[in-house]
Short mmCIF file of all heavy atoms in Angstrom, two decimals:
data_model
loop_
_atom_site.label_atom_id
_atom_site.label_comp_id
_atom_site.label_asym_id
_atom_site.label_seq_id
_atom_site.Cartn_x
_atom_site.Cartn_y
_atom_site.Cartn_z
N MET A 15 92.82 134.57 81.96
CA MET A 15 93.58 133.37 81.60
C MET A 15 95.03 133.49 82.05
O MET A 15 95.94 133.54 81.26
CB MET A 15 93.52 133.12 80.09
CG MET A 15 92.14 132.81 79.56
SD MET A 15 91.52 131.21 80.13
CE MET A 15 92.16 130.14 78.80
N SER A 16 95.23 133.63 83.31
CA SER A 16 96.60 133.73 83.78
C SER A 16 96.81 132.83 84.99
O SER A 16 97.34 133.23 86.01
CB SER A 16 96.94 135.17 84.14
OG SER A 16 96.03 135.64 85.11
N LYS A 17 96.32 131.65 84.85
CA LYS A 17 96.45 130.70 85.94
C LYS A 17 97.87 130.14 86.00
O LYS A 17 98.49 129.94 84.96
CB LYS A 17 95.47 129.55 85.77
CG LYS A 17 94.05 129.93 86.18
CD LYS A 17 93.13 128.74 86.00
CE LYS A 17 91.69 129.15 86.32
NZ LYS A 17 90.75 128.08 85.99
N THR A 18 98.30 129.88 87.17
CA THR A 18 99.62 129.29 87.33
C THR A 18 99.53 127.78 87.09
O THR A 18 98.85 127.08 87.81
CB THR A 18 100.17 129.55 88.75
OG1 THR A 18 99.98 130.91 89.06
CG2 THR A 18 101.64 129.20 88.83
N VAL A 19 100.22 127.35 86.07
CA VAL A 19 100.14 125.95 85.69
C VAL A 19 100.64 125.04 86.80
O VAL A 19 100.12 123.96 87.03
CB VAL A 19 100.94 125.70 84.39
CG1 VAL A 19 100.83 124.24 83.96
CG2 VAL A 19 100.44 126.61 83.29
N ALA A 20 101.64 125.51 87.50
CA ALA A 20 102.29 124.68 88.52
C ALA A 20 101.31 124.26 89.62
O ALA A 20 101.46 123.21 90.21
CB ALA A 20 103.46 125.43 89.12
N SER A 21 100.33 125.08 89.88
CA SER A 21 99.42 124.77 90.98
C SER A 21 98.30 123.85 90.54
O SER A 21 97.50 123.41 91.34
CB SER A 21 98.85 126.06 91.55
OG SER A 21 98.04 126.68 90.59
N LEU A 22 98.24 123.56 89.25
CA LEU A 22 97.15 122.74 88.75
C LEU A 22 97.62 121.34 88.39
O LEU A 22 96.96 120.62 87.68
CB LEU A 22 96.55 123.39 87.49
CG LEU A 22 95.91 124.75 87.71
CD1 LEU A 22 95.61 125.41 86.39
CD2 LEU A 22 94.64 124.62 88.53
N ARG A 23 98.76 120.99 88.91
CA ARG A 23 99.35 119.73 88.53
C ARG A 23 98.69 118.56 89.26
O ARG A 23 98.43 118.64 90.45
CB ARG A 23 100.84 119.77 88.88
CG ARG A 23 101.69 119.00 87.94
CD ARG A 23 103.13 119.32 88.22
NE ARG A 23 103.58 120.47 87.46
CZ ARG A 23 104.49 121.34 87.91
NH1 ARG A 23 104.99 121.21 89.10
NH2 ARG A 23 104.88 122.33 87.15
N ASN A 24 98.47 117.52 88.51
CA ASN A 24 97.92 116.31 89.12
C ASN A 24 98.83 115.13 88.81
O ASN A 24 99.46 115.08 87.77
CB ASN A 24 96.52 116.03 88.59
CG ASN A 24 95.50 116.91 89.28
OD1 ASN A 24 95.39 118.08 88.96
ND2 ASN A 24 94.76 116.36 90.21
N CYS A 25 98.83 114.22 89.71
CA CYS A 25 99.67 113.04 89.52
C CYS A 25 99.18 112.25 88.31
O CYS A 25 98.00 111.95 88.20
CB CYS A 25 99.63 112.18 90.78
SG CYS A 25 100.56 110.66 90.62
N PHE A 26 100.11 111.93 87.43
CA PHE A 26 99.74 111.21 86.21
C PHE A 26 99.22 109.82 86.55
O PHE A 26 98.39 109.27 85.84
CB PHE A 26 100.96 111.11 85.29
CG PHE A 26 100.65 110.44 83.97
CD1 PHE A 26 100.08 111.17 82.94
CD2 PHE A 26 100.92 109.10 83.78
CE1 PHE A 26 99.78 110.56 81.74
CE2 PHE A 26 100.62 108.48 82.57
CZ PHE A 26 100.06 109.22 81.55
N PHE A 27 99.72 109.27 87.62
CA PHE A 27 99.34 107.90 87.95
C PHE A 27 98.08 107.82 88.82
O PHE A 27 97.10 107.21 88.44
CB PHE A 27 100.49 107.18 88.63
CG PHE A 27 100.29 105.69 88.69
CD1 PHE A 27 100.51 104.91 87.57
CD2 PHE A 27 99.84 105.10 89.86
CE1 PHE A 27 100.30 103.54 87.61
CE2 PHE A 27 99.63 103.73 89.91
CZ PHE A 27 99.86 102.96 88.78
N CYS A 28 98.12 108.45 89.97
CA CYS A 28 97.00 108.28 90.89
C CYS A 28 95.94 109.38 90.75
O CYS A 28 94.85 109.24 91.22
CB CYS A 28 97.49 108.19 92.33
SG CYS A 28 98.06 109.75 93.01
N GLY A 29 96.31 110.48 90.07
CA GLY A 29 95.34 111.53 89.81
C GLY A 29 95.19 112.53 90.93
O GLY A 29 94.41 113.47 90.83
N LYS A 30 95.95 112.36 91.98
CA LYS A 30 95.85 113.28 93.10
C LYS A 30 96.62 114.56 92.82
O LYS A 30 97.59 114.56 92.06
CB LYS A 30 96.40 112.61 94.36
CG LYS A 30 95.43 111.59 94.92
CD LYS A 30 96.06 110.83 96.06
CE LYS A 30 95.16 109.66 96.45
NZ LYS A 30 95.85 108.69 97.27
N HIS A 31 96.19 115.62 93.47
CA HIS A 31 96.83 116.90 93.28
C HIS A 31 98.25 116.89 93.84
O HIS A 31 98.50 116.34 94.91
CB HIS A 31 96.01 117.98 93.97
CG HIS A 31 96.59 119.35 93.81
ND1 HIS A 31 96.46 120.06 92.63
CD2 HIS A 31 97.29 120.12 94.66
CE1 HIS A 31 97.08 121.23 92.78
NE2 HIS A 31 97.59 121.28 94.00
N ILE A 32 99.15 117.48 93.09
CA ILE A 32 100.53 117.55 93.56
C ILE A 32 100.81 118.94 94.09
O ILE A 32 100.59 119.94 93.40
CB ILE A 32 101.52 117.22 92.42
CG1 ILE A 32 101.28 115.81 91.90
CG2 ILE A 32 102.95 117.37 92.91
CD1 ILE A 32 102.08 115.46 90.66
N VAL A 33 101.29 119.01 95.30
CA VAL A 33 101.63 120.28 95.90
C VAL A 33 102.83 120.87 95.16
O VAL A 33 103.78 120.16 94.83
CB VAL A 33 101.97 120.09 97.40
CG1 VAL A 33 102.32 121.41 98.05
CG2 VAL A 33 100.81 119.43 98.11
N THR A 34 102.74 122.16 94.90
CA THR A 34 103.82 122.82 94.18
C THR A 34 105.15 122.63 94.91
O THR A 34 105.24 122.84 96.11
CB THR A 34 103.52 124.32 94.05
OG1 THR A 34 102.19 124.46 93.54
CG2 THR A 34 104.49 124.98 93.10
N GLY A 35 106.15 122.23 94.17
CA GLY A 35 107.45 121.99 94.77
C GLY A 35 107.68 120.54 95.12
O GLY A 35 108.78 120.13 95.44
N GLN A 36 106.62 119.76 95.02
CA GLN A 36 106.75 118.33 95.30
C GLN A 36 106.48 117.55 94.03
O GLN A 36 106.05 118.08 93.02
CB GLN A 36 105.78 117.91 96.39
CG GLN A 36 106.17 118.46 97.75
CD GLN A 36 105.22 117.98 98.83
OE1 GLN A 36 104.36 117.16 98.60
NE2 GLN A 36 105.39 118.51 100.03
N GLY A 37 106.70 116.27 94.11
CA GLY A 37 106.44 115.43 92.96
C GLY A 37 107.65 115.28 92.07
O GLY A 37 108.64 115.99 92.21
N THR A 38 107.54 114.35 91.15
CA THR A 38 108.64 114.07 90.25
C THR A 38 108.18 114.21 88.81
O THR A 38 107.12 113.72 88.45
CB THR A 38 109.16 112.63 90.47
OG1 THR A 38 109.35 112.42 91.86
CG2 THR A 38 110.47 112.41 89.74
N MET A 39 108.99 114.88 88.01
CA MET A 39 108.64 115.04 86.61
C MET A 39 109.32 113.97 85.78
O MET A 39 110.51 113.74 85.92
CB MET A 39 109.08 116.42 86.12
CG MET A 39 108.55 116.73 84.74
SD MET A 39 109.19 118.30 84.12
CE MET A 39 110.77 117.76 83.49
N LEU A 40 108.54 113.31 84.96
CA LEU A 40 109.10 112.31 84.06
C LEU A 40 108.90 112.78 82.63
O LEU A 40 107.77 112.97 82.19
CB LEU A 40 108.40 110.97 84.26
CG LEU A 40 108.49 110.33 85.65
CD1 LEU A 40 107.49 109.18 85.73
CD2 LEU A 40 109.87 109.83 85.92
N ALA A 41 109.99 112.99 81.93
CA ALA A 41 109.90 113.40 80.54
C ALA A 41 110.05 112.17 79.65
O ALA A 41 111.04 111.45 79.74
CB ALA A 41 110.97 114.42 80.22
N LYS A 42 109.06 111.92 78.85
CA LYS A 42 109.11 110.74 77.99
C LYS A 42 109.80 111.07 76.66
O LYS A 42 109.97 112.23 76.30
CB LYS A 42 107.69 110.23 77.74
CG LYS A 42 107.09 109.64 78.98
CD LYS A 42 105.75 109.01 78.68
CE LYS A 42 105.90 107.71 77.94
NZ LYS A 42 104.61 107.10 77.60
N ASN A 43 110.14 110.03 75.96
CA ASN A 43 110.85 110.21 74.71
C ASN A 43 110.01 110.94 73.65
O ASN A 43 110.55 111.63 72.79
CB ASN A 43 111.27 108.85 74.14
CG ASN A 43 112.37 108.21 74.96
OD1 ASN A 43 113.16 108.91 75.60
ND2 ASN A 43 112.44 106.90 74.97
N ASP A 44 108.71 110.78 73.73
CA ASP A 44 107.86 111.43 72.74
C ASP A 44 107.57 112.88 73.07
O ASP A 44 106.80 113.55 72.39
CB ASP A 44 106.55 110.64 72.55
CG ASP A 44 105.75 110.54 73.85
OD1 ASP A 44 106.11 111.22 74.83
OD2 ASP A 44 104.78 109.79 73.88
N GLY A 45 108.16 113.37 74.13
CA GLY A 45 108.03 114.79 74.45
C GLY A 45 106.98 115.11 75.49
O GLY A 45 106.91 116.23 75.98
N SER A 46 106.18 114.12 75.83
CA SER A 46 105.16 114.39 76.84
C SER A 46 105.77 114.34 78.24
O SER A 46 106.76 113.66 78.47
CB SER A 46 104.03 113.36 76.71
OG SER A 46 104.51 112.06 77.01
N ILE A 47 105.16 115.08 79.12
CA ILE A 47 105.67 115.15 80.48
C ILE A 47 104.65 114.58 81.45
O ILE A 47 103.47 114.89 81.39
CB ILE A 47 106.00 116.61 80.85
CG1 ILE A 47 107.22 117.07 80.04
CG2 ILE A 47 106.27 116.74 82.35
CD1 ILE A 47 107.47 118.55 80.11
N GLN A 48 105.13 113.73 82.31
CA GLN A 48 104.25 113.11 83.30
C GLN A 48 104.74 113.47 84.69
O GLN A 48 105.92 113.35 84.99
CB GLN A 48 104.26 111.59 83.13
CG GLN A 48 103.76 111.14 81.78
CD GLN A 48 103.99 109.66 81.55
OE1 GLN A 48 104.81 109.04 82.20
NE2 GLN A 48 103.26 109.09 80.62
N TRP A 49 103.81 113.90 85.52
CA TRP A 49 104.15 114.22 86.91
C TRP A 49 103.62 113.13 87.82
O TRP A 49 102.49 112.67 87.66
CB TRP A 49 103.54 115.56 87.30
CG TRP A 49 104.37 116.71 86.83
CD1 TRP A 49 104.25 117.34 85.62
CD2 TRP A 49 105.41 117.38 87.55
NE1 TRP A 49 105.18 118.35 85.55
CE2 TRP A 49 105.90 118.41 86.71
CE3 TRP A 49 105.97 117.21 88.82
CZ2 TRP A 49 106.93 119.25 87.12
CZ3 TRP A 49 106.99 118.05 89.21
CH2 TRP A 49 107.46 119.07 88.36
N THR A 50 104.44 112.73 88.76
CA THR A 50 103.97 111.78 89.76
C THR A 50 104.18 112.39 91.14
O THR A 50 105.14 113.11 91.38
CB THR A 50 104.74 110.44 89.68
OG1 THR A 50 106.13 110.70 89.65
CG2 THR A 50 104.35 109.68 88.43
N CYS A 51 103.25 112.09 92.04
CA CYS A 51 103.26 112.73 93.35
C CYS A 51 104.26 112.08 94.29
O CYS A 51 104.73 112.70 95.22
CB CYS A 51 101.86 112.72 93.94
SG CYS A 51 101.26 111.08 94.33
N SER A 52 104.55 110.83 94.06
CA SER A 52 105.40 110.14 95.02
C SER A 52 106.22 109.06 94.34
O SER A 52 106.01 108.72 93.17
CB SER A 52 104.55 109.51 96.12
OG SER A 52 103.73 108.51 95.55
N ASP A 53 107.13 108.51 95.11
CA ASP A 53 107.97 107.44 94.61
C ASP A 53 107.14 106.21 94.30
O ASP A 53 107.43 105.44 93.39
CB ASP A 53 109.02 107.11 95.67
CG ASP A 53 110.32 106.67 95.02
OD1 ASP A 53 110.76 107.36 94.07
OD2 ASP A 53 110.88 105.66 95.43
N LYS A 54 106.10 106.05 95.07
CA LYS A 54 105.19 104.93 94.88
C LYS A 54 104.55 104.97 93.48
O LYS A 54 104.52 103.98 92.76
CB LYS A 54 104.11 105.00 95.95
CG LYS A 54 103.14 103.86 95.95
CD LYS A 54 102.10 104.15 97.01
CE LYS A 54 100.97 103.12 97.01
NZ LYS A 54 99.92 103.49 97.96
N CYS A 55 104.06 106.15 93.12
CA CYS A 55 103.43 106.30 91.82
C CYS A 55 104.45 106.16 90.70
O CYS A 55 104.19 105.57 89.68
CB CYS A 55 102.76 107.67 91.74
SG CYS A 55 101.31 107.78 92.77
N LYS A 56 105.61 106.71 90.93
CA LYS A 56 106.67 106.64 89.93
C LYS A 56 107.04 105.19 89.64
O LYS A 56 107.20 104.78 88.51
CB LYS A 56 107.89 107.41 90.44
CG LYS A 56 108.91 107.72 89.37
CD LYS A 56 110.00 108.59 89.95
CE LYS A 56 111.34 107.88 89.85
NZ LYS A 56 112.39 108.64 90.56
N LYS A 57 107.16 104.44 90.70
CA LYS A 57 107.53 103.04 90.57
C LYS A 57 106.46 102.25 89.82
O LYS A 57 106.75 101.46 88.93
CB LYS A 57 107.72 102.45 91.97
CG LYS A 57 108.96 101.59 92.08
CD LYS A 57 108.99 100.91 93.42
CE LYS A 57 109.89 101.61 94.42
NZ LYS A 57 109.87 100.98 95.74
N ASN A 58 105.22 102.50 90.19
CA ASN A 58 104.12 101.79 89.54
C ASN A 58 104.01 102.14 88.07
O ASN A 58 103.68 101.32 87.23
CB ASN A 58 102.81 102.12 90.25
CG ASN A 58 102.61 101.24 91.46
OD1 ASN A 58 102.15 100.12 91.35
ND2 ASN A 58 102.97 101.73 92.62
N LEU A 59 104.27 103.39 87.77
CA LEU A 59 104.14 103.87 86.40
C LEU A 59 105.29 103.40 85.52
O LEU A 59 105.09 102.87 84.44
CB LEU A 59 104.09 105.40 86.41
CG LEU A 59 103.95 106.09 85.06
CD1 LEU A 59 102.57 105.85 84.49
CD2 LEU A 59 104.19 107.58 85.20
N ARG A 60 106.47 103.57 86.02
CA ARG A 60 107.66 103.30 85.22
C ARG A 60 108.12 101.85 85.27
O ARG A 60 108.28 101.18 84.26
CB ARG A 60 108.80 104.21 85.69
CG ARG A 60 108.84 105.53 84.96
CD ARG A 60 109.32 105.30 83.55
NE ARG A 60 109.22 106.45 82.70
CZ ARG A 60 110.25 107.26 82.43
NH1 ARG A 60 111.40 107.08 83.00
NH2 ARG A 60 110.09 108.25 81.58
N LYS A 61 108.35 101.38 86.49
CA LYS A 61 108.93 100.06 86.66
C LYS A 61 107.92 98.94 86.48
O LYS A 61 108.13 97.99 85.74
CB LYS A 61 109.55 99.97 88.07
CG LYS A 61 111.06 100.02 88.06
CD LYS A 61 111.57 99.66 89.45
CE LYS A 61 113.05 99.38 89.43
NZ LYS A 61 113.55 99.07 90.78
N LEU A 62 106.80 99.08 87.18
CA LEU A 62 105.83 97.99 87.19
C LEU A 62 104.85 98.09 86.03
O LEU A 62 104.16 97.15 85.71
CB LEU A 62 105.08 97.99 88.53
CG LEU A 62 105.99 97.91 89.77
CD1 LEU A 62 105.19 98.18 91.03
CD2 LEU A 62 106.66 96.56 89.86
N LYS A 63 104.80 99.29 85.41
CA LYS A 63 103.92 99.53 84.26
C LYS A 63 102.48 99.10 84.55
O LYS A 63 101.83 98.41 83.77
CB LYS A 63 104.46 98.82 83.01
CG LYS A 63 105.74 99.44 82.51
CD LYS A 63 106.09 98.93 81.14
CE LYS A 63 107.12 99.80 80.45
NZ LYS A 63 108.39 99.88 81.18
N ARG A 64 102.01 99.51 85.70
CA ARG A 64 100.66 99.16 86.10
C ARG A 64 99.66 100.15 85.52
O ARG A 64 99.98 101.30 85.24
CB ARG A 64 100.55 99.16 87.62
CG ARG A 64 101.10 97.90 88.23
CD ARG A 64 100.95 97.97 89.72
NE ARG A 64 101.28 96.68 90.33
CZ ARG A 64 101.63 96.55 91.59
NH1 ARG A 64 101.70 97.61 92.36
NH2 ARG A 64 101.91 95.39 92.09
N ASP A 65 98.45 99.67 85.39
CA ASP A 65 97.38 100.54 84.93
C ASP A 65 96.70 101.14 86.16
O ASP A 65 96.14 100.40 86.97
CB ASP A 65 96.38 99.71 84.12
CG ASP A 65 95.43 100.61 83.34
OD1 ASP A 65 95.11 101.69 83.85
OD2 ASP A 65 95.03 100.22 82.24
N PRO A 66 96.72 102.46 86.31
CA PRO A 66 96.12 103.08 87.49
C PRO A 66 94.64 102.80 87.62
O PRO A 66 94.08 102.86 88.72
CB PRO A 66 96.39 104.58 87.29
CG PRO A 66 96.70 104.75 85.85
CD PRO A 66 97.33 103.45 85.42
N ARG A 67 94.00 102.46 86.53
CA ARG A 67 92.57 102.18 86.58
C ARG A 67 92.28 100.84 87.25
O ARG A 67 91.15 100.53 87.60
CB ARG A 67 91.99 102.18 85.16
CG ARG A 67 91.98 103.57 84.56
CD ARG A 67 91.62 103.53 83.10
NE ARG A 67 92.59 102.77 82.34
CZ ARG A 67 92.55 102.60 81.02
NH1 ARG A 67 91.57 103.16 80.33
NH2 ARG A 67 93.45 101.92 80.39
N LYS A 68 93.33 100.04 87.42
CA LYS A 68 93.15 98.74 88.05
C LYS A 68 93.51 98.76 89.54
O LYS A 68 93.41 97.76 90.22
CB LYS A 68 94.01 97.69 87.35
CG LYS A 68 93.51 97.34 85.97
CD LYS A 68 94.44 96.35 85.31
CE LYS A 68 93.98 96.04 83.89
NZ LYS A 68 95.01 95.25 83.16
N LEU A 69 93.99 99.90 89.99
CA LEU A 69 94.45 99.98 91.37
C LEU A 69 93.49 100.84 92.20
O LEU A 69 93.20 101.98 91.86
CB LEU A 69 95.86 100.58 91.41
CG LEU A 69 96.92 99.71 90.72
CD1 LEU A 69 98.20 100.51 90.58
CD2 LEU A 69 97.18 98.43 91.47
N LYS A 70 93.07 100.26 93.29
CA LYS A 70 92.04 100.91 94.09
C LYS A 70 92.51 102.17 94.78
O LYS A 70 91.70 103.03 95.12
CB LYS A 70 91.51 99.92 95.13
CG LYS A 70 90.50 98.96 94.53
CD LYS A 70 89.89 98.07 95.59
CE LYS A 70 88.87 97.13 94.97
NZ LYS A 70 88.30 96.21 95.94
N TRP A 71 93.80 102.30 95.02
CA TRP A 71 94.28 103.46 95.75
C TRP A 71 94.46 104.69 94.86
O TRP A 71 94.82 105.76 95.33
CB TRP A 71 95.56 103.14 96.53
CG TRP A 71 96.66 102.54 95.70
CD1 TRP A 71 96.90 101.22 95.50
CD2 TRP A 71 97.67 103.25 94.97
NE1 TRP A 71 98.00 101.06 94.69
CE2 TRP A 71 98.49 102.29 94.36
CE3 TRP A 71 97.97 104.62 94.79
CZ2 TRP A 71 99.59 102.64 93.56
CZ3 TRP A 71 99.06 104.96 94.00
CH2 TRP A 71 99.85 103.98 93.39
N THR A 72 94.24 104.55 93.57
CA THR A 72 94.34 105.72 92.71
C THR A 72 92.95 106.32 92.47
O THR A 72 91.93 105.65 92.65
CB THR A 72 94.95 105.36 91.34
OG1 THR A 72 93.98 104.62 90.59
CG2 THR A 72 96.21 104.55 91.49
N GLN A 73 92.95 107.57 92.07
CA GLN A 73 91.67 108.21 91.78
C GLN A 73 91.18 107.85 90.39
O GLN A 73 90.09 108.22 89.99
CB GLN A 73 91.83 109.73 91.91
CG GLN A 73 92.02 110.15 93.35
CD GLN A 73 92.06 111.66 93.51
OE1 GLN A 73 91.97 112.41 92.55
NE2 GLN A 73 92.19 112.11 94.75
N LYS A 74 92.00 107.14 89.66
CA LYS A 74 91.61 106.75 88.30
C LYS A 74 90.98 105.37 88.27
O LYS A 74 90.64 104.87 87.22
CB LYS A 74 92.86 106.77 87.40
CG LYS A 74 93.38 108.17 87.16
CD LYS A 74 94.50 108.15 86.15
CE LYS A 74 94.98 109.55 85.85
NZ LYS A 74 96.07 109.55 84.87
N TYR A 75 90.88 104.79 89.44
CA TYR A 75 90.34 103.44 89.52
C TYR A 75 88.93 103.36 88.94
O TYR A 75 88.06 104.18 89.26
CB TYR A 75 90.33 102.98 90.98
CG TYR A 75 89.74 101.61 91.18
CD1 TYR A 75 90.40 100.49 90.68
CD2 TYR A 75 88.56 101.44 91.85
CE1 TYR A 75 89.88 99.23 90.87
CE2 TYR A 75 88.02 100.18 92.05
CZ TYR A 75 88.69 99.08 91.54
OH TYR A 75 88.17 97.83 91.72
N VAL A 76 88.74 102.38 88.08
CA VAL A 76 87.43 102.18 87.49
C VAL A 76 86.78 100.97 88.14
O VAL A 76 87.31 99.87 88.09
CB VAL A 76 87.54 101.95 85.96
CG1 VAL A 76 86.16 101.73 85.35
CG2 VAL A 76 88.24 103.13 85.31
N LYS A 77 85.66 101.22 88.75
CA LYS A 77 84.97 100.15 89.44
C LYS A 77 84.40 99.14 88.45
O LYS A 77 83.78 99.50 87.46
CB LYS A 77 83.82 100.75 90.27
CG LYS A 77 83.66 100.07 91.61
CD LYS A 77 82.53 100.73 92.37
CE LYS A 77 82.14 99.86 93.56
NZ LYS A 77 80.94 100.37 94.21
N GLY A 78 84.68 97.89 88.73
CA GLY A 78 84.13 96.84 87.88
C GLY A 78 84.98 96.53 86.67
O GLY A 78 84.61 95.71 85.85
N GLY A 79 86.11 97.21 86.54
CA GLY A 79 87.00 96.90 85.44
C GLY A 79 86.97 97.95 84.35
O GLY A 79 86.14 98.85 84.33
N ILE A 80 87.88 97.78 83.43
CA ILE A 80 88.03 98.77 82.36
C ILE A 80 87.33 98.29 81.09
O ILE A 80 87.42 97.14 80.71
CB ILE A 80 89.52 98.98 82.04
CG1 ILE A 80 90.31 99.20 83.32
CG2 ILE A 80 89.69 100.16 81.10
CD1 ILE A 80 91.78 98.86 83.16
N ARG A 81 86.69 99.23 80.48
CA ARG A 81 86.09 98.91 79.17
C ARG A 81 87.02 99.43 78.09
O ARG A 81 87.30 100.62 78.00
CB ARG A 81 84.75 99.62 79.03
CG ARG A 81 83.63 98.86 79.70
CD ARG A 81 82.32 99.48 79.28
NE ARG A 81 81.33 99.35 80.34
CZ ARG A 81 80.19 100.03 80.34
NH1 ARG A 81 79.94 100.90 79.40
NH2 ARG A 81 79.32 99.86 81.31
N VAL A 82 87.48 98.54 77.28
CA VAL A 82 88.35 98.95 76.19
C VAL A 82 87.57 98.88 74.89
O VAL A 82 87.16 97.81 74.44
CB VAL A 82 89.61 98.05 76.11
CG1 VAL A 82 90.55 98.56 75.04
CG2 VAL A 82 90.31 98.03 77.46
N LYS A 83 87.38 100.03 74.31
CA LYS A 83 86.64 100.09 73.05
C LYS A 83 87.41 100.91 72.05
O LYS A 83 87.79 102.05 72.30
CB LYS A 83 85.27 100.72 73.29
CG LYS A 83 84.20 99.69 73.59
CD LYS A 83 82.84 100.37 73.61
CE LYS A 83 81.75 99.34 73.94
NZ LYS A 83 80.45 99.99 74.04
N LYS A 84 87.63 100.31 70.91
CA LYS A 84 88.27 101.06 69.83
C LYS A 84 88.23 100.25 68.56
O LYS A 84 88.50 99.05 68.62
CB LYS A 84 89.72 101.41 70.17
CG LYS A 84 89.85 102.90 70.38
CD LYS A 84 91.28 103.31 70.68
CE LYS A 84 91.30 104.75 71.17
NZ LYS A 84 92.65 105.17 71.51
ZN1 LIG F 19 100.36 109.81 92.66
#
């Protein structure tokens, strides 16, 4: 159990792997940390507040729409 956390980082928005040394870290007020791989993801996440599951270019895209159950 001595894996390097930095190499296992994935983009919070699109879900793609982030190369170590790249990407942007976003620290939220509640203490959670979100990594984004590019300015594009950062913009969509922060400014546009888009749902990655609705965007086809992300790996989180859900085909046919999102099911919200709770
Ligand atoms: Zn991304």
